[in-house]
Amino acid sequence: MGIEDYGGGQTPQADVLVVTTNDVPGHQVTQVVGEVFGLTVRSRHLGSQIGAGLKSMIGGELKGLTKTLVETRNQAMERLVDQARARGANAVLMMRFDVSEAADVGTEVCAYGTAAVISRS
């Protein structure tokens, strides 16, 4: 697996800008649409559970679980962007991730932020 398999984020051509900051330099917020989120819950498959159990005995990165978490975060982010776009926003400000266990069967990942309409200053 290459480094591109362990990351996420947007392409330069994205129509909805997602930032972790309160504002975007060179832009002004013309409308606050409101809170938006993207949520997904993923279960762990048996192969990664067994591999993780064995790896935890000898130490090291759990690459299968890392890849699954990256995919899960990216899916939550895509859903966040889809919701913002559907509500007429072209930006999501103050985006954050929240990760928790879901009833001992999987991992819940929620990407959330404030949908807004921004324009160049």
Side-chain angles (χ1 to χ4, degrees):
M1 292 176 76
I3 191 67
E4 65 278 357
D5 294 323
Y6 291 104
Q10 296 183 288
T11 65
Q13 300 82 21
D15 63 328
V16 175
L17 178 65
V18 178
V19 297
T20 59
T21 56
N22 296 336
D23 51 22
V24 179
H27 293 75
Q28 64 180 358
V29 176
T30 58
Q31 179 186 355
V32 173
V33 176
E35 184 254 349
V36 288
F37 66 90
L39 178 68
T40 184
V41 178
R42 292 276 180 103
S43 65
R44 297 175 205 93
H45 63 76
L46 183 59
S48 69
Q49 289 286 78
I50 293 170
L54 294 173
K55 190 72 166 187
S56 68
M57 288 188 231
I58 58 173
E61 181 181 9
L62 306 174
K63 290 184 180 182
L65 291 177
T66 300
K67 183 178 179 194
T68 298
L69 186 54
V70 168
E71 291 169 352
T72 304
R73 285 174 62 120
N74 288 342
Q75 184 177 46
M77 180 87 152
E78 288 171 13
R79 290 178 177 176
L80 168 80
V81 169
D82 289 345
Q83 188 179 89
R85 185 183 302 114
R87 294 181 59 191
N90 66 352
V92 176
L93 309 176
M94 297 178 55
M95 191 282 293
R96 304 286 188 264
F97 284 107
D98 183 53
V99 180
S100 60
E101 290 296 313
D104 293 330
V105 296
T107 302
E108 172 189 329
V109 175
C110 182
Y112 62 95
T114 302
V117 176
I118 61 172
S119 62
R120 290 204 180 272
S121 304

